[in-house]
Amino acid sequence: MSMDTSASDSNHDVSEGGMQMYFFSSFNTIILFKSWHPTGWLGFIASCVAVLLICILHEYLTTLRVIFSCLHSDTERRYWSPRTIHLVKTASYGVSLIFSYLIMLIAMTYNVGIFLMIPIGLSIGFYFFAPMRERAYALEAQAKFSLSQQRSTVELSRSKRQAEQKQIDERPLTPSSSLLQPRKGSTN
């Protein structure tokens, strides 16, 4: 197998599908696919908006994954099996990974305008969806605290019953004990 390494093959420019390895600012850039190639300022602005929306969607999907992971109480377990819950968590994790890698590849275009849309989009998504994550974490913590209180109450009442039973068992049997006393109205 011979490989042709002519000068024209080694000096690709962006319009031929090559990739620059330094930051640049130009409307002429390829984003992810050869077909996603804005050449004018209008196409570039549309691409920036698309990247912004992809980043916001990534934050939304991450928030949904967090919320779903937090909402696994006994109520949900009645309706969904643990296997189904694990399958949904795994699928949402996979989708989140796909978006993460797409965003990384978009950043690797090294176009300054496209690159700046990534932290802006992620920040906008975080601004809108982080409170939902925090509420989910708070509800999960509250549910765990409530469950631990219920367990503590059950343990306390169990130990209280055991202590009362122990007192009854250790009580000496004497003739004055109520068990040995004849019942009122009984004829013996």
Side-chain angles (χ1 to χ4, degrees):
M1 286 207 273
S2 72
M3 296 178 67
D4 184 23
T5 57
S6 64
S8 64
D9 287 341
S10 63
N11 292 327
H12 291 298
D13 68 351
V14 176
S15 63
E16 294 177 5
M19 185 173 158
Q20 297 179 4
M21 299 300 289
Y22 51 87
F23 282 103
F24 66 97
S25 61
S26 169
F27 295 138
N28 186 16
T29 187
I30 296 175
I31 306 169
L32 292 181
F33 311 104
K34 270 189 172 181
S35 59
W36 190 357
H37 185 190
T39 53
W41 68 271
L42 191 59
F44 185 76
I45 290 174
S47 295
C48 286
V49 170
V51 170
L52 191 80
L53 292 175
I54 287 171
C55 292
I56 292 171
L57 182 62
H58 176 265
E59 283 296 312
Y60 176 72
L61 291 173
T62 302
T63 299
L64 286 181
R65 185 169 53 93
V66 167
I67 289 171
F68 189 79
S69 294
C70 290
L71 299 178
H72 57 274
S73 67
D74 293 335
T75 306
E76 285 84 17
R77 291 190 190 275
R78 274 189 244 149
Y79 299 111
W80 294 354
S81 70
R83 184 181 189 130
T84 304
I85 292 172
H86 184 66
L87 184 64
V88 170
K89 285 181 185 179
T90 302
S92 64
Y93 178 72
V95 171
S96 181
L97 276 178
I98 289 170
F99 272 90
S100 296
Y101 280 113
L102 285 176
I103 291 169
M104 178 200 64
L105 290 171
I106 291 170
M108 289 177 62
T109 63
Y110 292 102
N111 184 299
V112 174
I114 297 294
F115 182 83
L116 289 176
M117 290 298 109
I118 293 172
I120 291 170
L122 291 173
S123 297
I124 290 170
F126 183 83
Y127 176 80
F128 286 110
F129 301 121
M132 293 169 65
R133 288 185 218 172
E134 291 170 6
R135 275 183 288 202
Y137 286 135
L139 287 173
E140 181 184 34
Q142 184 181 13
K144 285 181 179 180
F145 180 72
S146 175
L147 184 61
S148 70
Q149 278 189 326
Q150 288 173 356
R151 287 181 180 162
S152 296
T153 304
V154 168
E155 289 296 321
L156 181 63
S157 63
R158 184 181 300 147
S159 63
K160 190 175 180 181
R161 281 193 312 258
Q162 287 174 347
E164 289 172 354
Q165 186 63 39
K166 187 176 180 183
Q167 286 178 348
I168 292 171
D169 291 345
E170 291 177 351
R171 192 180 307 160
L173 289 177
T174 60
S176 64
S177 174
S178 63
L179 293 174
L180 299 176
Q181 298 293 328
R183 284 189 269 166
K184 291 183 180 178
S186 160
T187 56
N188 260 354

